[in-house]
Amino acid sequence: SAVTPQLDALAARSLCFTRAWSSSSWTMPAHATIFTGLYPFQVRVVGETHVLPREAETVIEQLQAAGYRTAALTDGGFVSGEFGLDQGFAFFSERTRELSDKLAEARDFLAADDGRPVCLFVQTYRVHWPYRSSAETLREHGERLGIQGSVHEVLEQLLVEAREQGHVTARY
């Protein structure tokens, strides 16, 4: 049986990009690129204090001008109005909340359908560290998917192996 039947169904009816790269290794410049289609250096967003310039037109602004209802639900941080990423959104919520609450807010926005097309951007940091698999996932799929335990257990094992192979002589 499929491990991710809903994702498999979505993938079956979706366009798949097999060679896609991010324009940056961290949040702010990567999102600036997502919203503008420009590289971070082109919109001068490469450092932690940089703000997306208001003159940099976003796809969200273009969608809003074309009659779309636009909303963003973010966890804040670098994906916030403070860094200019609210440009073009008629509704922009930047607060950390339970994922179930965020999804309820997204459903509420979608339910308030007024006939216009919709652009809803939902962002979370929950995909970042720590990576954890439930005991059930480990039991049912761990071996097949190559999940060997918690991240800490795997890293500790890698350190042991590196030490045994002479790659690590001290740990600070």
Side-chain angles (χ1 to χ4, degrees):
S1 70
V3 176
T4 57
Q6 288 82 12
L7 289 176
D8 294 346
L10 175 64
R13 63 180 192 274
S14 299
L15 179 62
C16 180
F17 294 90
T18 58
R19 295 179 59 134
W21 291 270
S22 178
S23 62
S24 179
S25 62
W26 65 285
T27 304
M28 176 53 194
H31 281 73
T33 293
I34 290 168
F35 291 146
T36 66
L38 300 171
Y39 287 107
F41 70 87
Q42 291 177 292
V43 289
R44 300 176 308 278
V45 178
V46 293
E48 292 184 8
T49 60
H50 297 171
V51 175
L52 183 65
R54 288 288 168 192
E55 62 270 11
E57 186 177 33
T58 68
V59 66
I60 308 304
E61 290 171 302
Q62 292 174 4
L63 290 171
Q64 190 175 56
Y68 279 67
R69 285 190 316 130
T70 58
L73 308 173
T74 81
D75 281 346
F78 286 110
V79 186
S80 70
E82 178 182 351
F83 294 100
L85 294 181
D86 58 341
Q87 288 180 213
F89 288 104
F91 178 75
F92 193 91
S93 173
E94 54 183 276
R95 58 188 168 90
T96 302
R97 53 203 164 282
E98 291 299 317
L99 187 57
S100 59
D101 295 338
K102 182 181 283 195
L103 294 176
E105 192 172 3
R107 285 185 194 98
D108 290 345
F109 176 79
L110 294 171
D113 185 5
D114 63 4
R116 292 183 290 160
V118 171
C119 175
L120 173 61
F121 177 75
V122 180
Q123 178 271 341
T124 182
Y125 291 107
R126 286 172 183 80
V127 298
H128 293 292
W129 192 275
Y131 300 108
R132 295 188 187 131
S133 298
S134 68
E136 178 184 1
T137 299
L138 289 173
R139 185 175 56 258
E140 293 182 16
H141 308 290
E143 185 176 335
R144 184 168 60 86
L145 297 176
I147 303 171
Q148 303 166 352
S150 75
V151 169
H152 299 291
E153 293 166 345
V154 171
L155 290 177
E156 190 61 38
Q157 181 59 37
L158 289 173
L159 182 61
V160 167
E161 291 172 12
R163 203 177 273 133
E164 288 172 353
Q165 296 171 11
H167 299 299
V168 176
T169 56
R171 180 176 171 184
Y172 299 96

